[in-house]
Amino acid sequence: VRSAAPFVTLLLLCAPGVGAEPVEAVRVEAVPPLRTAAYVGSALGLAGAAGVASIFTAVSLHGAPVGANGRPEPFVTATGLVAALGVHFALVHWLVPELTRLGNTSAALGDVSAARARAWELGRWAWLGGALGAAGTMIGAGIEHASFGSGQGVMLGGLVAVFFSALAADVLEIVGAWQGATASRRPR
Amino acid sequence: VKVSRRLVLGGLAAMSCGRAMQEPGPASPDFPQGVCAGDPDSRGALLWTRYTGTGALRLELWPRGDPATRLVFPVTPTDEGIALVRVEDLAAGTWWHYAFVGSKADGEVSRSEEGRFRTALAADALAPLRIGASSCADQEYPLTPFSRVADELECDVFLMLGDNLYADGAKTLDEYRQKWREALARRPTQRLRASTGLISTWDDHEIVNNATGELDPAQIQAARTATFEYQPWRESGASPGRLWRSIRWGRTVEFFVLDCRSERAPSTGQYMSREQLDWLKAGLAASPARFKLVLNSVPISNYPGAFFALTLDDRWQGYPAERTELLEFIEGRNIPGVLWLTGDFHMGVAGRVSATGPGSTMREIAAGPAGQFANPSPSYPAPPQFDFATAEHNVAVLDLDPAAGTVRVRFLDGGTRTLFDTTWEL
């Protein structure tokens, strides 16, 4: 996580709409700190669980030909990485904004759609980086399939790109969703 | 205990007393780690057990097919219960059976499992041999390939190429001993060790993952002491505790057993000591054997690709000066019949040492894993450098034909399948 921090910071600075102003000049109750903490904790937990599910997906697919034939197939491993990224995206992008409901109180509530929109606004480039990494892994698998040892570097590069992109996407989705929810916060 | 010709004759005399003629019964719990015949040479072997009984212990030894000719030797175990008998002056190239027997005050006996081994061929003999080999035998796994060897094959000798147990977490002598006791309590391992003679080396997991000689010397010494206690290895008289050694089986094969761990010094780029390297080169050059099998616990093959580069510093490839020196020496001298045998990789592999350059004329077999998780690389070795690779739990079986100069190489799984079968000319 530490090594991804500069990348995340850069993306945050470059992303449009950070600190978007409220749409209406209405006094809205601020989110209580405990509810903020509950959101952050839950979102981090969800991201972690999504990571575990993703790894499980990738490892399961990678291990299928090993179990069947005693050796892996690079294309299957690369496909496993694509599937893992898909699982991670589905869990994080669809569920993290839902967790912004933890900031709702009897006096005010945020808009989950706005949270998801802001999360996507921030996180999309990281997701794109992950997709490119997965594509790189697939290309590397093709090279490796043709000649042992020749495509592993590309596969490894793609794998690293997917890992750090997903990590960045997690952070950006969590930050973005909260920004979107708080910015759209309205009195009940 | 060293048993020489005099003791063998004494044993013959003891046979006549009749106590040794009792029929073998089921193995007693007084021998919880089974039996083993280590480092068989043309004169005998080191016969081993661990005895937890309280009565007197003896060894019974008889030639195959002639249980009436039973030699009996008294044995005194160590405080740890280790009983090690060096039997000498046996006929070369012959099969022998043995069992340890404990006597109790009430006349009852406790009997170990019956083991067997073949003495090495006579110095000038040239005959086909069957060699089994494996590695990476995590005691937490089923180790089914070992059971298959015991059930189906009669190997003239079996080679364990390192990671013969997983002692990770141990640091003191008592902890290493406990790990060995646990590992050798597994029935598949006991059955393998009882089924034929054993020649073995060690790798990192006998000490700790990725061990080198730059670890805490006390820890290495504890691991070494426990390993020597539980693996019957012939110690060099000049250098007690030295692992590297060679054993020749006639003119068919000479086994060169390397220590690829405890002399390694990454800080100075040393893979093994100059003494060991020079010993290996001289031994290979001087050996009259048709085949030279090098028990090399970590692969010397060049594995291309980024994933395999991640572990480069843990094998020969990360020490190119010594690797090149050795391979160029063998190829420069045109030393025939050198076959590298290795483990460590959690992957059975058969192929050439290098695609091009030094080592391209030589072959290496990575035997095993007998029981470990699959090497996690998303791509396994493939032609043209490599003929075969598998993560299935396996043993390699080599049928050496010295007259033809060929080695039939088979990989067998723990069930009924032959995973790979080819014949190489060496």
Side-chain angles (χ1 to χ4, degrees):
Chain A
V1 175
R2 193 179 301 132
S3 57
F7 178 54
V8 173
T9 307
L10 181 67
L11 283 174
L12 279 169
L13 290 174
C14 296
V18 174
E21 293 182 10
V23 179
E24 297 175 24
V26 180
R27 286 181 66 87
V28 183
E29 176 212 44
V31 181
L34 270 180
R35 288 183 174 272
T36 303
Y39 166 76
V40 172
S42 303
L44 289 174
L46 176 65
V52 171
S54 305
I55 291 169
F56 180 78
T57 302
V59 169
S60 297
L61 276 167
H62 164 76
V66 178
N69 307 316
R71 55 182 297 144
E73 165 51 55
F75 273 124
V76 176
T77 301
T79 304
L81 194 66
V82 172
L85 188 65
V87 166
H88 198 78
F89 174 78
L91 290 174
V92 170
H93 185 67
W94 294 108
L95 294 183
V96 163
E98 298 291 338
L99 293 176
T100 59
R101 296 179 197 275
L102 290 169
N104 294 347
T105 62
S106 57
L109 72 170
D111 178 6
V112 171
S113 298
R116 179 164 292 117
R118 178 65 181 150
W120 174 246
E121 197 176 3
L122 285 191
R124 58 189 168 178
W125 298 112
W127 290 121
L128 179 64
L132 290 174
T137 305
M138 194 64 85
I139 292 167
I143 301 169
E144 182 68 14
H145 185 81
S147 174
F148 168 68
S150 57
Q152 291 180 25
V154 181
M155 286 187 79
L156 189 61
L159 187 69
V160 170
V162 168
F163 177 78
F164 285 107
S165 296
L167 211 58
D170 287 350
V171 174
L172 293 168
E173 288 268 356
I174 291 168
V175 170
W178 194 244
Q179 284 181 352
T182 52
S184 63
R185 197 168 170 80
R186 296 284 179 275
R188 280 188 187 268
Chain B
V1 176
K2 179 181 174 183
V3 179
S4 64
R5 184 185 301 278
R6 189 162 54 86
L7 273 175
V8 168
L9 293 172
L12 281 167
M15 180 194 73
S16 63
C17 77
R19 287 203 332 159
M21 297 303 291
Q22 292 156 6
E23 289 303 310
S28 160
D30 287 348
F31 303 91
Q33 277 73 37
V35 298
C36 187
D39 281 3
D41 63 13
S42 61
R43 301 180 64 210
L46 301 175
L47 303 185
W48 178 98
T49 193
R50 178 167 175 267
Y51 179 55
T52 57
T54 53
L57 183 66
R58 65 177 187 270
L59 167 70
E60 296 182 2
L61 175 71
W62 62 98
R64 168 168 289 181
D66 188 10
T69 307
R70 193 166 296 217
L71 315 177
V72 182
F73 312 102
V75 184
T76 304
T78 65
D79 292 344
E80 175 70 3
I82 303 296
L84 185 65
V85 184
R86 177 179 292 194
V87 181
E88 293 185 345
D89 290 345
L90 304 181
T94 55
W95 280 93
W96 292 81
H97 292 228
Y98 64 97
F100 290 87
V101 182
S103 303
K104 296 179 180 174
D106 59 6
E108 290 289 311
V109 296
S110 57
R111 178 177 285 274
S112 75
E113 181 171 22
E114 181 179 311
R116 61 181 192 258
F117 68 96
R118 188 183 186 192
T119 50
L121 303 176
D124 59 348
L126 190 73
L129 290 173
R130 172 168 292 172
I131 315 293
S134 198
S135 69
C136 303
D138 189 332
Q139 58 269 28
E140 303 296 326
Y141 282 74
L143 303 174
T144 50
F146 288 172
S147 300
R148 185 174 181 184
V149 172
D151 287 339
E152 296 179 19
L153 302 170
E154 186 160 78
C155 295
D156 292 298
V157 68
F158 197 89
L159 313 177
M160 281 302 296
L161 303 168
D163 295 342
N164 306 335
L165 87 164
Y166 282 69
D168 304 69
K171 287 192 172 174
T172 66
L173 179 56
D174 282 346
E175 289 168 348
Y176 279 111
R177 284 172 166 167
Q178 180 58 30
K179 292 285 186 182
W180 273 107
R181 287 195 288 268
E182 291 168 10
L184 296 183
R186 295 296 315 282
R187 274 304 287 159
T189 306
Q190 290 182 6
R191 295 184 64 221
L192 171 74
R193 284 162 66 104
S195 70
T196 189
L198 180 77
I199 300 175
S200 59
T201 183
W202 72 357
D203 198 36
D204 54 337
H205 289 283
E206 277 83 353
I207 311 168
V208 68
N209 189 36
N210 292 344
T212 73
E214 293 180 337
L215 285 176
D216 174 14
Q219 184 176 359
I220 295 176
Q221 186 54 44
R224 187 189 302 272
T225 299
T227 303
F228 267 88
E229 285 178 346
Y230 283 83
Q231 297 276 76
W233 287 344
R234 292 183 191 276
E235 283 196 77
S236 161
S239 308
R242 192 183 84 183
L243 191 153
W244 40 275
R245 62 201 187 277
S246 74
I247 300 169
R248 186 156 70 85
W249 280 53
R251 288 190 295 122
T252 298
V253 63
E254 184 162 358
F255 302 100
F256 292 87
V257 184
L258 304 188
D259 178 358
C260 296
R261 287 292 174 184
S262 72
E263 296 180 351
R264 196 187 296 188
S267 64
T268 59
Q270 174 180 295
Y271 190 77
M272 60 173 51
S273 68
R274 173 51 54 185
E275 190 185 6
Q276 183 180 181
L277 193 62
D278 287 345
W279 162 82
L280 177 60
K281 287 162 64 178
L284 289 171
S287 177
R290 177 64 184 80
F291 301 107
K292 293 96 180 166
L293 269 51
V294 186
L295 281 71
N296 164 51
S297 67
V298 191
I300 196 167
S301 289
N302 175 18
Y303 283 86
F307 287 107
F308 291 98
L310 296 174
T311 54
L312 202 63
D313 61 348
D314 193 42
R315 61 180 193 268
W316 280 98
Q317 223 177 318
Y319 299 79
E322 285 174 66
R323 179 179 182 274
T324 302
E325 176 188 332
L326 181 56
L327 296 177
E328 286 185 342
F329 175 83
I330 296 168
E331 291 180 330
R333 296 288 186 98
N334 288 319
I335 300 173
V338 176
L339 178 60
W340 297 87
L341 300 174
T342 192
D344 184 54
F345 255 32
H346 298 197
M347 182 167 62
V349 183
R352 282 184 293 128
V353 169
S354 304
T356 57
S360 58
T361 64
M362 276 180 278
R363 293 181 184 271
E364 183 170 54
I365 291 169
Q372 251 302 354
F373 62 83
N375 185 304
S377 171
S379 177
Y380 276 16
Q385 183 185 346
F386 299 98
D387 299 342
F388 171 73
T390 185
E392 296 204 46
H393 295 166
N394 69 80
V395 292
V397 180
L398 313 177
D399 288 300
L400 308 182
D401 183 343
T406 58
V407 180
R408 182 184 179 195
V409 180
R410 286 178 293 162
F411 282 79
L412 308 181
D413 72 358
T416 58
R417 288 185 302 146
T418 299
L419 305 170
F420 179 69
D421 188 347
T422 194
T423 299
W424 287 341
E425 211 168 298
L426 292 181

mmCIF file of all heavy atoms in Angstrom, chain A residues 96-132:
data_model
loop_
_atom_site.group_PDB
_atom_site.id
_atom_site.type_symbol
_atom_site.label_atom_id
_atom_site.label_comp_id
_atom_site.label_asym_id
_atom_site.label_seq_id
_atom_site.Cartn_x
_atom_site.Cartn_y
_atom_site.Cartn_z
ATOM 1 N N VAL A 96 -19.210 -0.801 -2.463
ATOM 2 C CA VAL A 96 -18.653 0.276 -1.627
ATOM 3 C C VAL A 96 -19.599 1.476 -1.559
ATOM 4 O O VAL A 96 -19.856 2.006 -0.459
ATOM 5 C CB VAL A 96 -17.242 0.681 -2.127
ATOM 6 C CG1 VAL A 96 -16.825 2.040 -1.554
ATOM 7 C CG2 VAL A 96 -16.227 -0.389 -1.728
ATOM 8 N N PRO A 97 -20.175 1.942 -2.677
ATOM 9 C CA PRO A 97 -21.112 3.080 -2.553
ATOM 10 C C PRO A 97 -22.307 2.776 -1.645
ATOM 11 O O PRO A 97 -22.819 3.678 -0.971
ATOM 12 C CB PRO A 97 -21.562 3.322 -4.004
ATOM 13 C CG PRO A 97 -20.428 2.833 -4.822
ATOM 14 C CD PRO A 97 -19.924 1.623 -4.096
ATOM 15 N N GLU A 98 -22.713 1.528 -1.641
ATOM 16 C CA GLU A 98 -23.837 1.172 -0.770
ATOM 17 C C GLU A 98 -23.480 1.395 0.709
ATOM 18 O O GLU A 98 -24.346 1.675 1.533
ATOM 19 C CB GLU A 98 -24.223 -0.299 -0.966
ATOM 20 C CG GLU A 98 -24.704 -0.641 -2.370
ATOM 21 C CD GLU A 98 -26.064 -0.002 -2.677
ATOM 22 O OE1 GLU A 98 -26.790 0.319 -1.720
ATOM 23 O OE2 GLU A 98 -26.365 0.191 -3.878
ATOM 24 N N LEU A 99 -22.210 1.250 0.998
ATOM 25 C CA LEU A 99 -21.786 1.417 2.399
ATOM 26 C C LEU A 99 -21.856 2.872 2.858
ATOM 27 O O LEU A 99 -21.809 3.144 4.059
ATOM 28 C CB LEU A 99 -20.351 0.894 2.578
ATOM 29 C CG LEU A 99 -20.168 -0.613 2.398
ATOM 30 C CD1 LEU A 99 -18.683 -0.981 2.513
ATOM 31 C CD2 LEU A 99 -20.970 -1.384 3.434
ATOM 32 N N THR A 100 -21.994 3.805 1.905
ATOM 33 C CA THR A 100 -22.098 5.214 2.329
ATOM 34 C C THR A 100 -23.388 5.450 3.105
ATOM 35 O O THR A 100 -23.540 6.475 3.766
ATOM 36 C CB THR A 100 -22.051 6.164 1.113
ATOM 37 O OG1 THR A 100 -23.133 5.859 0.229
ATOM 38 C CG2 THR A 100 -20.721 6.037 0.376
ATOM 39 N N ARG A 101 -24.304 4.511 3.043
ATOM 40 C CA ARG A 101 -25.541 4.630 3.840
ATOM 41 C C ARG A 101 -25.216 4.663 5.333
ATOM 42 O O ARG A 101 -26.045 5.106 6.134
ATOM 43 C CB ARG A 101 -26.478 3.450 3.564
ATOM 44 C CG ARG A 101 -26.991 3.383 2.143
ATOM 45 C CD ARG A 101 -27.897 2.158 1.978
ATOM 46 N NE ARG A 101 -28.091 1.809 0.567
ATOM 47 C CZ ARG A 101 -29.015 2.358 -0.206
ATOM 48 N NH1 ARG A 101 -29.820 3.280 0.286
ATOM 49 N NH2 ARG A 101 -29.138 1.994 -1.465
ATOM 50 N N LEU A 102 -24.050 4.172 5.662
ATOM 51 C CA LEU A 102 -23.655 4.212 7.077
ATOM 52 C C LEU A 102 -23.535 5.646 7.582
ATOM 53 O O LEU A 102 -23.541 5.895 8.789
ATOM 54 C CB LEU A 102 -22.317 3.473 7.264
ATOM 55 C CG LEU A 102 -22.380 1.959 7.085
ATOM 56 C CD1 LEU A 102 -20.973 1.376 7.011
ATOM 57 C CD2 LEU A 102 -23.161 1.332 8.233
ATOM 58 N N GLY A 103 -23.400 6.616 6.653
ATOM 59 C CA GLY A 103 -23.320 8.024 7.058
ATOM 60 C C GLY A 103 -24.670 8.663 7.258
ATOM 61 O O GLY A 103 -24.767 9.801 7.731
ATOM 62 N N ASN A 104 -25.726 7.966 6.875
ATOM 63 C CA ASN A 104 -27.073 8.542 7.023
ATOM 64 C C ASN A 104 -27.471 8.609 8.498
ATOM 65 O O ASN A 104 -27.138 7.708 9.272
ATOM 66 C CB ASN A 104 -28.100 7.707 6.261
ATOM 67 C CG ASN A 104 -27.870 7.773 4.755
ATOM 68 O OD1 ASN A 104 -27.112 8.628 4.290
ATOM 69 N ND2 ASN A 104 -28.501 6.867 4.026
ATOM 70 N N THR A 105 -28.151 9.691 8.818
ATOM 71 C CA THR A 105 -28.654 9.846 10.189
ATOM 72 C C THR A 105 -30.151 10.154 10.126
ATOM 73 O O THR A 105 -30.730 10.272 9.030
ATOM 74 C CB THR A 105 -27.938 11.008 10.913
ATOM 75 O OG1 THR A 105 -28.228 12.216 10.200
ATOM 76 C CG2 THR A 105 -26.435 10.770 10.962
ATOM 77 N N SER A 106 -30.754 10.371 11.269
ATOM 78 C CA SER A 106 -32.180 10.721 11.280
ATOM 79 C C SER A 106 -32.391 12.122 10.733
ATOM 80 O O SER A 106 -33.502 12.489 10.354
ATOM 81 C CB SER A 106 -32.723 10.627 12.704
ATOM 82 O OG SER A 106 -31.968 11.468 13.554
ATOM 83 N N ALA A 107 -31.292 12.898 10.657
ATOM 84 C CA ALA A 107 -31.429 14.273 10.203
ATOM 85 C C ALA A 107 -31.054 14.452 8.740
ATOM 86 O O ALA A 107 -31.544 15.362 8.070
ATOM 87 C CB ALA A 107 -30.559 15.193 11.063
ATOM 88 N N ALA A 108 -30.144 13.587 8.208
ATOM 89 C CA ALA A 108 -29.656 13.806 6.841
ATOM 90 C C ALA A 108 -29.244 12.482 6.222
ATOM 91 O O ALA A 108 -28.919 11.518 6.913
ATOM 92 C CB ALA A 108 -28.461 14.766 6.854
ATOM 93 N N LEU A 109 -29.248 12.485 4.892
ATOM 94 C CA LEU A 109 -28.810 11.284 4.191
ATOM 95 C C LEU A 109 -28.177 11.655 2.859
ATOM 96 O O LEU A 109 -28.481 12.686 2.277
ATOM 97 C CB LEU A 109 -29.965 10.304 3.982
ATOM 98 C CG LEU A 109 -31.056 10.612 2.960
ATOM 99 C CD1 LEU A 109 -31.943 9.385 2.752
ATOM 100 C CD2 LEU A 109 -31.914 11.785 3.404
ATOM 101 N N GLY A 110 -27.279 10.763 2.406
ATOM 102 C CA GLY A 110 -26.613 10.995 1.134
ATOM 103 C C GLY A 110 -27.267 10.190 0.032
ATOM 104 O O GLY A 110 -28.122 9.341 0.279
ATOM 105 N N ASP A 111 -26.790 10.457 -1.188
ATOM 106 C CA ASP A 111 -27.365 9.801 -2.358
ATOM 107 C C ASP A 111 -26.373 8.744 -2.850
ATOM 108 O O ASP A 111 -25.242 9.071 -3.237
ATOM 109 C CB ASP A 111 -27.626 10.854 -3.438
ATOM 110 C CG ASP A 111 -28.182 10.220 -4.707
ATOM 111 O OD1 ASP A 111 -28.455 8.998 -4.696
ATOM 112 O OD2 ASP A 111 -28.322 10.949 -5.707
ATOM 113 N N VAL A 112 -26.801 7.495 -2.855
ATOM 114 C CA VAL A 112 -25.905 6.397 -3.257
ATOM 115 C C VAL A 112 -25.515 6.531 -4.729
ATOM 116 O O VAL A 112 -24.370 6.242 -5.113
ATOM 117 C CB VAL A 112 -26.579 5.039 -2.985
ATOM 118 C CG1 VAL A 112 -25.768 3.895 -3.590
ATOM 119 C CG2 VAL A 112 -26.739 4.835 -1.500
ATOM 120 N N SER A 113 -26.443 7.000 -5.562
ATOM 121 C CA SER A 113 -26.115 7.157 -6.987
ATOM 122 C C SER A 113 -25.017 8.187 -7.175
ATOM 123 O O SER A 113 -24.100 8.004 -7.980
ATOM 124 C CB SER A 113 -27.360 7.601 -7.766
ATOM 125 O OG SER A 113 -28.343 6.607 -7.652
ATOM 126 N N ALA A 114 -25.117 9.252 -6.408
ATOM 127 C CA ALA A 114 -24.073 10.279 -6.493
ATOM 128 C C ALA A 114 -22.754 9.722 -5.981
ATOM 129 O O ALA A 114 -21.677 10.033 -6.521
ATOM 130 C CB ALA A 114 -24.482 11.504 -5.674
ATOM 131 N N ALA A 115 -22.836 8.912 -4.952
ATOM 132 C CA ALA A 115 -21.617 8.292 -4.420
ATOM 133 C C ALA A 115 -20.972 7.408 -5.469
ATOM 134 O O ALA A 115 -19.751 7.445 -5.690
ATOM 135 C CB ALA A 115 -21.956 7.467 -3.172
ATOM 136 N N ARG A 116 -21.790 6.614 -6.145
ATOM 137 C CA ARG A 116 -21.237 5.692 -7.160
ATOM 138 C C ARG A 116 -20.660 6.477 -8.338
ATOM 139 O O ARG A 116 -19.604 6.126 -8.874
ATOM 140 C CB ARG A 116 -22.324 4.732 -7.632
ATOM 141 C CG ARG A 116 -21.831 3.761 -8.691
ATOM 142 C CD ARG A 116 -22.757 2.585 -8.875
ATOM 143 N NE ARG A 116 -22.756 1.716 -7.716
ATOM 144 C CZ ARG A 116 -23.804 1.468 -6.948
ATOM 145 N NH1 ARG A 116 -24.959 2.044 -7.224
ATOM 146 N NH2 ARG A 116 -23.718 0.668 -5.912
ATOM 147 N N ALA A 117 -21.344 7.567 -8.703
ATOM 148 C CA ALA A 117 -20.866 8.358 -9.834
ATOM 149 C C ALA A 117 -19.508 8.967 -9.517
ATOM 150 O O ALA A 117 -18.588 8.958 -10.346
ATOM 151 C CB ALA A 117 -21.885 9.458 -10.155
ATOM 152 N N ARG A 118 -19.387 9.488 -8.293
ATOM 153 C CA ARG A 118 -18.117 10.117 -7.912
ATOM 154 C C ARG A 118 -17.013 9.053 -7.783
ATOM 155 O O ARG A 118 -15.864 9.290 -8.167
ATOM 156 C CB ARG A 118 -18.311 10.861 -6.588
ATOM 157 C CG ARG A 118 -17.057 11.516 -6.051
ATOM 158 C CD ARG A 118 -16.567 12.631 -6.968
ATOM 159 N NE ARG A 118 -15.344 13.241 -6.455
ATOM 160 C CZ ARG A 118 -14.399 13.777 -7.220
ATOM 161 N NH1 ARG A 118 -14.556 13.790 -8.544
ATOM 162 N NH2 ARG A 118 -13.347 14.314 -6.689
ATOM 163 N N ALA A 119 -17.395 7.895 -7.259
ATOM 164 C CA ALA A 119 -16.416 6.818 -7.136
ATOM 165 C C ALA A 119 -15.895 6.404 -8.506
ATOM 166 O O ALA A 119 -14.697 6.180 -8.699
ATOM 167 C CB ALA A 119 -17.040 5.615 -6.433
ATOM 168 N N TRP A 120 -16.786 6.320 -9.449
ATOM 169 C CA TRP A 120 -16.379 5.946 -10.817
ATOM 170 C C TRP A 120 -15.502 7.038 -11.424
ATOM 171 O O TRP A 120 -14.510 6.750 -12.104
ATOM 172 C CB TRP A 120 -17.618 5.706 -11.670
ATOM 173 C CG TRP A 120 -17.310 5.458 -13.120
ATOM 174 C CD1 TRP A 120 -17.635 6.252 -14.182
ATOM 175 C CD2 TRP A 120 -16.593 4.351 -13.662
ATOM 176 N NE1 TRP A 120 -17.174 5.717 -15.341
ATOM 177 C CE2 TRP A 120 -16.527 4.535 -15.056
ATOM 178 C CE3 TRP A 120 -16.001 3.222 -13.103
ATOM 179 C CZ2 TRP A 120 -15.896 3.648 -15.908
ATOM 180 C CZ3 TRP A 120 -15.372 2.338 -13.959
ATOM 181 C CH2 TRP A 120 -15.315 2.539 -15.332
ATOM 182 N N GLU A 121 -15.893 8.299 -11.141
ATOM 183 C CA GLU A 121 -15.138 9.425 -11.678
ATOM 184 C C GLU A 121 -13.670 9.340 -11.220
ATOM 185 O O GLU A 121 -12.756 9.569 -11.997
ATOM 186 C CB GLU A 121 -15.766 10.728 -11.190
ATOM 187 C CG GLU A 121 -15.355 11.945 -11.968
ATOM 188 C CD GLU A 121 -16.097 13.199 -11.497
ATOM 189 O OE1 GLU A 121 -16.891 13.103 -10.507
ATOM 190 O OE2 GLU A 121 -15.877 14.245 -12.075
ATOM 191 N N LEU A 122 -13.490 8.996 -9.958
ATOM 192 C CA LEU A 122 -12.118 8.908 -9.446
ATOM 193 C C LEU A 122 -11.434 7.600 -9.828
ATOM 194 O O LEU A 122 -10.256 7.571 -10.156
ATOM 195 C CB LEU A 122 -12.123 9.024 -7.915
ATOM 196 C CG LEU A 122 -12.352 10.391 -7.291
ATOM 197 C CD1 LEU A 122 -12.040 10.316 -5.796
ATOM 198 C CD2 LEU A 122 -11.478 11.452 -7.928
ATOM 199 N N GLY A 123 -12.190 6.529 -9.768
ATOM 200 C CA GLY A 123 -11.542 5.227 -9.869
ATOM 201 C C GLY A 123 -11.392 4.674 -11.257
ATOM 202 O O GLY A 123 -10.660 3.693 -11.461
ATOM 203 N N ARG A 124 -12.020 5.295 -12.231
ATOM 204 C CA ARG A 124 -12.073 4.660 -13.559
ATOM 205 C C ARG A 124 -10.703 4.493 -14.189
ATOM 206 O O ARG A 124 -10.452 3.525 -14.903
ATOM 207 C CB ARG A 124 -12.998 5.466 -14.488
ATOM 208 C CG ARG A 124 -12.573 6.905 -14.656
ATOM 209 C CD ARG A 124 -13.632 7.706 -15.391
ATOM 210 N NE ARG A 124 -13.349 9.135 -15.296
ATOM 211 C CZ ARG A 124 -14.082 10.074 -15.868
ATOM 212 N NH1 ARG A 124 -15.150 9.739 -16.577
ATOM 213 N NH2 ARG A 124 -13.772 11.338 -15.735
ATOM 214 N N TRP A 125 -9.808 5.458 -13.937
ATOM 215 C CA TRP A 125 -8.483 5.346 -14.578
ATOM 216 C C TRP A 125 -7.679 4.201 -13.957
ATOM 217 O O TRP A 125 -6.913 3.536 -14.646
ATOM 218 C CB TRP A 125 -7.716 6.665 -14.456
ATOM 219 C CG TRP A 125 -8.446 7.768 -15.166
ATOM 220 C CD1 TRP A 125 -9.059 8.843 -14.607
ATOM 221 C CD2 TRP A 125 -8.691 7.857 -16.573
ATOM 222 N NE1 TRP A 125 -9.676 9.615 -15.566
ATOM 223 C CE2 TRP A 125 -9.461 9.025 -16.790
ATOM 224 C CE3 TRP A 125 -8.360 7.072 -17.666
ATOM 225 C CZ2 TRP A 125 -9.880 9.418 -18.058
ATOM 226 C CZ3 TRP A 125 -8.772 7.466 -18.930
ATOM 227 C CH2 TRP A 125 -9.519 8.628 -19.108
ATOM 228 N N ALA A 126 -7.890 4.015 -12.686
ATOM 229 C CA ALA A 126 -7.213 2.870 -12.056
ATOM 230 C C ALA A 126 -7.772 1.552 -12.594
ATOM 231 O O ALA A 126 -7.025 0.606 -12.873
ATOM 232 C CB ALA A 126 -7.382 2.937 -10.544
ATOM 233 N N TRP A 127 -9.093 1.518 -12.744
ATOM 234 C CA TRP A 127 -9.688 0.297 -13.329
ATOM 235 C C TRP A 127 -9.180 0.071 -14.749
ATOM 236 O O TRP A 127 -8.912 -1.069 -15.156
ATOM 237 C CB TRP A 127 -11.214 0.390 -13.340
ATOM 238 C CG TRP A 127 -11.843 0.305 -11.975
ATOM 239 C CD1 TRP A 127 -12.632 1.239 -11.374
ATOM 240 C CD2 TRP A 127 -11.738 -0.777 -11.037
ATOM 241 N NE1 TRP A 127 -13.018 0.826 -10.119
ATOM 242 C CE2 TRP A 127 -12.484 -0.417 -9.887
ATOM 243 C CE3 TRP A 127 -11.081 -1.994 -11.038
ATOM 244 C CZ2 TRP A 127 -12.588 -1.231 -8.766
ATOM 245 C CZ3 TRP A 127 -11.188 -2.820 -9.927
ATOM 246 C CH2 TRP A 127 -11.922 -2.427 -8.810
ATOM 247 N N LEU A 128 -9.046 1.182 -15.483
ATOM 248 C CA LEU A 128 -8.526 1.051 -16.843
ATOM 249 C C LEU A 128 -7.095 0.504 -16.812
ATOM 250 O O LEU A 128 -6.729 -0.357 -17.624
ATOM 251 C CB LEU A 128 -8.547 2.421 -17.549
ATOM 252 C CG LEU A 128 -7.996 2.426 -18.972
ATOM 253 C CD1 LEU A 128 -8.861 1.561 -19.891
ATOM 254 C CD2 LEU A 128 -7.932 3.861 -19.526
ATOM 255 N N GLY A 129 -6.302 0.997 -15.849
ATOM 256 C CA GLY A 129 -4.934 0.476 -15.701
ATOM 257 C C GLY A 129 -4.945 -1.022 -15.424
ATOM 258 O O GLY A 129 -4.140 -1.782 -15.980
ATOM 259 N N GLY A 130 -5.899 -1.434 -14.599
ATOM 260 C CA GLY A 130 -6.008 -2.853 -14.315
ATOM 261 C C GLY A 130 -6.371 -3.658 -15.553
ATOM 262 O O GLY A 130 -5.824 -4.739 -15.802
ATOM 263 N N ALA A 131 -7.302 -3.101 -16.332
ATOM 264 C CA ALA A 131 -7.717 -3.798 -17.554
ATOM 265 C C ALA A 131 -6.546 -3.913 -18.526
ATOM 266 O O ALA A 131 -6.356 -4.952 -19.171
ATOM 267 C CB ALA A 131 -8.876 -3.060 -18.196
ATOM 268 N N LEU A 132 -5.759 -2.837 -18.618
ATOM 269 C CA LEU A 132 -4.589 -2.891 -19.503
ATOM 270 C C LEU A 132 -3.580 -3.916 -19.001
ATOM 271 O O LEU A 132 -2.960 -4.632 -19.790
ATOM 272 C CB LEU A 132 -3.947 -1.503 -19.601
ATOM 273 C CG LEU A 132 -4.763 -0.461 -20.376
ATOM 274 C CD1 LEU A 132 -4.099 0.918 -20.284
ATOM 275 C CD2 LEU A 132 -4.917 -0.872 -21.841
#
